[in-house]
Amino acid sequence: MAGKDVVVVIEHWAGEIDGSSLQLLGKGRDLADALGSELVAAVLGDQVEPLVAALQTRGLDRIVTVMDARLHYYNGDTYAHVLARLVGQLQPALVLTGYTLVGMELAPALAARLGAPLLTNGVDIDLRDGQVVVTRPLFGGIYQARVAIEAAGPAVVTIQKGAFPVRDVAPRSARVEAMPAALEGLQERCRVIEVTEQAAGALDITKADILVGVGRGVGEAAKIPLCHSLAEALGAGVCCTRPMVDLGWMPVEMQVGTSGKTVVPNVFLALGISGASQFSVGMKDSRLIIAINKDPGAPIFQVAHCGVVADMFSLLPLLTQEAAKLGR
Ligand SMILES: Cc1cc2nc3c(=O)[nH]c(=O)nc-3n(C[C@H](O)[C@H](O)[C@H](O)COP(=O)(O)OP(=O)(O)OC[C@H]3O[C@@H](n4cnc5c(N)ncnc54)[C@H](O)[C@@H]3O)c2cc1C
């Protein structure tokens, strides 16, 4: 019989807790309160003591750690194995992870091991008439589905980055419990060989004041320099959507969105970007969003403060010329 607790799987890197997990702790606290249950953090890693200290200010009732040298780097097989055991013991109502690159792999593997229901790509989660209801975008964000979880056992839910703000929660003293990793006999089918950092000197799009975002509407790689010229005239950085990376037209460090970076510049100029939720979630909190798209029904106009329905190439030369006059 499942309990009512809410478990948040903590993602971390180089001693820092990922923002996707921090946002889930605020929401998880609300859910646990509404369910009359406990909010539990699951922290897997090598040496996680500093993370436990940081989590003590996050409104948790319980922190369960699993420490082992083999958990130093995230590994799908190992993490799913350890978490399945942890969730099997705790029997919570909900397991929450970010809809991040890690969560996208880990959550289905975990749900499959547990035989549990899985809801991915959530943009909201709340309680309605005692039932947990997850809101998910459909058709690139044009529609939203609200899905109620009816199963009695633990359910696994992944939530988009940026779906909730990172909130200050009244700190409480969480009980800390260590669980053994119990990895004996586990055959890892993949292993991290090397982790490489982004080359020094490359633009960090998360720190840019102004960003020009380029989408597949640019049409061909040869036209990307026109967007760079506008960015240069504006003193802006350049970022892009995922198809631009998949096409090999722009580097992955420039990608915004669920599987890219989250940016919050003062100005975001979206050029030829449809505004699928997996993209918008990574930039919707920008202070001023201006979108140019030739399709008036493009979802980007739902997050844009200022929208221009036009062929971007009819405006780019003029915009670049005018921006150059600003001399930024
Ligand atoms: C698991 C998963 C994770 C994902 N993660 C990400 C992510 O992190 N980041 C991301 O970006 N996407 C991500 N995606 C993909 C996402 O769903 C969209 O497919 C993608 O964002 C669309 O990119 P786009 O807007 O560049 O291209 P399109 O959807 O092809 O849109 C192009 C837009 O350009 C407009 N256009 C065309 N020509 C012109 C013109 N001349 N002038 C003006 N407008 C024009 C069109 O009207 C259209 O709206 C993910 C998808 C999945 C399933």
Side-chain angles (χ1 to χ4, degrees):
M1 176 68 189
K4 294 182 186 172
D5 293 346
V6 177
V7 172
V8 174
V9 180
I10 303 296
E11 253 188 73
H12 55 93
W13 178 254
E16 297 274 329
I17 299 170
D18 193 71
S20 61
S21 301
L22 293 177
Q23 67 166 20
L24 289 177
L25 291 176
K27 190 65 181 184
R29 184 68 264 164
D30 294 345
L31 288 167
D33 288 344
L35 287 162
S37 64
E38 296 202 325
L39 177 63
V40 185
V43 195
L44 279 57
D46 189 358
Q47 300 294 326
V48 299
E49 292 89 348
L51 299 171
V52 171
L55 285 168
Q56 284 291 5
T57 61
R58 292 282 163 190
L60 283 149
D61 300 293
R62 207 169 156 194
I63 301 170
V64 181
T65 63
V66 186
M67 284 194 266
D68 192 286
R70 283 167 73 183
L71 299 172
H72 181 73
Y73 289 124
Y74 167 75
N75 175 317
D77 272 345
T78 325
Y79 270 57
H81 170 87
V82 170
L83 270 177
R85 210 169 137 264
L86 185 150
V87 173
Q89 286 193 15
L90 300 188
Q91 285 295 310
L94 276 175
V95 182
L96 302 178
T97 80
Y99 184 59
T100 57
L101 289 177
V102 167
M104 281 177 211
E105 182 190 24
L106 184 57
L110 176 63
R113 276 178 164 79
L114 295 168
L118 168 72
L119 283 165
T120 60
N121 193 17
V123 291
D124 200 2
I125 178 167
D126 49 24
L127 267 191
R128 290 184 193 196
D129 303 324
Q131 262 187 330
V132 177
V133 175
V134 179
T135 307
R136 312 178 65 224
L138 292 180
F139 303 112
I142 296 172
Y143 298 103
Q144 290 197 327
R146 293 199 178 81
V147 187
I149 299 172
E150 292 189 337
V156 183
V157 178
T158 68
I159 299 283
Q160 285 192 8
K161 275 195 281 186
F164 316 117
V166 175
R167 265 199 356 235
D168 283 336
V169 186
R172 54 176 82 190
S173 184
R175 308 188 307 279
V176 181
E177 295 159 29
M179 266 184 56
L183 294 172
E184 305 76 32
L186 176 73
Q187 293 295 321
E188 286 158 332
R189 287 168 296 178
C190 55
R191 189 163 48 87
V192 178
I193 300 164
E194 188 189 9
V195 174
T196 52
E197 296 281 338
Q198 183 179 329
L203 170 78
D204 181 354
I205 59 169
T206 64
K207 302 216 165 75
D209 183 42
I210 307 177
L211 277 174
V212 171
V214 187
R216 190 156 42 188
V218 73
E220 52 183 306
K223 290 187 176 162
I224 296 172
L226 292 171
C227 305
H228 277 281
S229 299
L230 173 59
E232 204 174 307
L234 286 168
V238 177
C239 61
C240 66
T241 61
R242 177 161 156 173
M244 301 295 287
V245 176
D246 292 344
L247 285 162
W249 291 357
M250 292 174 80
V252 70
E253 296 79 30
M254 289 185 169
Q255 184 191 318
V256 170
T258 308
S259 45
K261 293 183 178 165
T262 302
V263 295
V264 199
N266 275 318
V267 183
F268 191 105
L269 176 57
L271 302 175
I273 292 176
S274 60
S277 65
Q278 291 95 348
F279 170 79
S280 302
V281 75
M283 49 68 78
K284 67 180 171 44
D285 294 326
S286 306
R287 193 158 295 169
L288 174 66
I289 300 172
I290 305 162
I292 304 176
N293 194 304
K294 62 183 185 184
D295 173 9
I300 192 71
F301 292 128
Q302 290 168 18
V303 293
H305 303 102
C306 172
V308 185
V309 179
D311 182 331
M312 60 195 265
F313 297 109
S314 67
L315 290 176
L316 270 181
L318 190 62
L319 282 174
T320 307
Q321 198 182 317
E322 290 300 312
K325 288 186 196 161
L326 298 174
R328 282 180 60 101

